[in-house]
Amino acid sequence: MRKNCDSIDPLYIELYKTEIADQKVSRRTIAKESKLSHTTISNFLDGVTSPTYNTLIAIGDALKVRRIDAFLAVEILKDITSYNQPGMEVLSSLLYPLGLSLAGNGSPIVENFKDRDLAAFNARMIASAVESVASRERALNSFRDKREYT
């Protein structure tokens, strides 16, 4: 059974189009790299058809899209401009240790939240990490601005 793009956020199309423009790569090149037909690529990017998740991943891999960063930008932040922000690398690096701590057997985090909504906890942790990254970026920009004027 195919899993189509009905549930895939249309922001992925916009993100991929932005990456195509930034990289100045043709749809034919993407088709060749992803081992998909040019028609499949065009239909996806033009919103004509709904791709499978495997197609979405193949096109992303051909564009060298960082999957976790794309997921965060599209699914969590709902802002594709955040994909190329410097803080995105920091944010995505925080998710791996969080995932390990939640998945580990006997982990204090898992034990403390056994009877609670882990999805809500994850959302709060991600929101906290996003704010932390944004705060650090504001502080760095402020520092850079002060250095330029002295």
Side-chain angles (χ1 to χ4, degrees):
M1 185 169 154
R2 291 172 42 124
K3 292 184 179 181
N4 283 348
C5 188
D6 295 336
S7 61
I8 293 175
D9 195 310
L11 285 175
Y12 281 109
I13 295 172
E14 296 308 312
L15 175 64
Y16 285 17
K17 283 181 177 180
T18 301
E19 287 301 301
I20 289 169
D22 290 349
Q23 296 177 30
K24 296 179 176 74
V25 63
S26 73
R27 292 180 178 193
R28 290 203 184 277
T29 301
I30 297 165
K32 182 180 176 186
E33 292 290 319
S34 64
K35 297 181 176 70
L36 297 169
S37 73
H38 176 263
T39 304
T40 299
I41 304 296
S42 290
N43 286 342
F44 164 63
L45 294 173
D46 295 339
V48 174
T49 59
S50 300
T52 64
Y53 284 102
N54 288 339
T55 301
L56 184 72
I57 290 168
I59 295 168
D61 287 351
L63 288 168
K64 295 176 181 47
V65 168
R66 300 174 312 277
R67 290 184 195 174
I68 189 69
D69 294 354
F71 174 80
L72 290 170
V74 171
E75 303 288 343
I76 305 296
L77 301 174
K78 302 289 186 196
D79 176 17
I80 62 167
T81 62
S82 64
Y83 174 76
N84 283 318
Q85 294 298 315
M88 185 58 80
E89 186 177 337
V90 175
L91 175 59
S92 60
S93 71
L94 294 172
L95 292 179
Y96 182 72
L98 174 62
L100 285 178
S101 67
L102 289 174
N105 291 334
S107 166
I109 292 178
V110 172
E111 293 301 317
N112 290 338
F113 286 89
K114 243 184 189 163
D115 298 327
R116 298 183 189 171
D117 182 6
L118 283 177
F121 171 73
N122 282 335
R124 282 192 307 276
M125 288 298 292
I126 290 171
S128 174
V130 168
E131 179 51 38
S132 175
V133 169
S135 176
R136 288 179 191 160
E137 194 168 333
R138 284 191 298 270
L140 281 171
N141 287 337
S142 175
F143 176 75
R144 286 183 191 123
D145 290 344
K146 288 177 183 175
R147 278 184 49 197
E148 288 178 8
Y149 294 114
T150 56

